[in-house]
Amino acid sequence: MRERSILKDQIEQGRQELSRLVDQYGIPNVKVLEQSMALDELINEYNRVTLGVNVKRCKVL
């Protein structure tokens, strides 16, 4: 697992990229969805590292 400080930086970069993609493509776009899911994974990993929480992955239908 990555260190908390690295994860925090990656989360911030992911948020900025998500915002950029929303501005460029709008919310209903596959690129936006993929970035949102990648950001969710980073946040889940950060929570596992920080809180010791075992966050289950959700399957998208």
Side-chain angles (χ1 to χ4, degrees):
M1 283 194 197
R2 293 172 263 205
E3 290 184 31
R4 288 189 331 192
S5 62
I6 293 171
L7 282 168
K8 285 172 82 171
D9 290 342
Q10 290 175 331
I11 289 168
E12 182 55 35
Q13 290 172 1
R15 285 181 176 149
Q16 290 175 9
E17 177 65 7
L18 181 59
S19 179
R20 186 189 71 76
L21 289 170
V22 167
D23 289 345
Q24 184 174 354
Y25 298 107
I27 291 177
N29 182 277
V30 69
K31 291 179 183 183
V32 172
L33 177 60
E34 290 171 347
Q35 180 60 28
S36 177
M37 290 177 5
L39 181 56
D40 287 345
E41 285 299 316
L42 286 170
I43 292 168
N44 288 341
E45 186 174 349
Y46 180 83
N47 286 335
R48 283 191 295 271
V49 168
T50 303
L51 305 172
V53 174
N54 187 10
V55 179
K56 292 183 179 181
R57 293 182 187 200
C58 285
K59 186 174 183 180
V60 177
L61 302 176

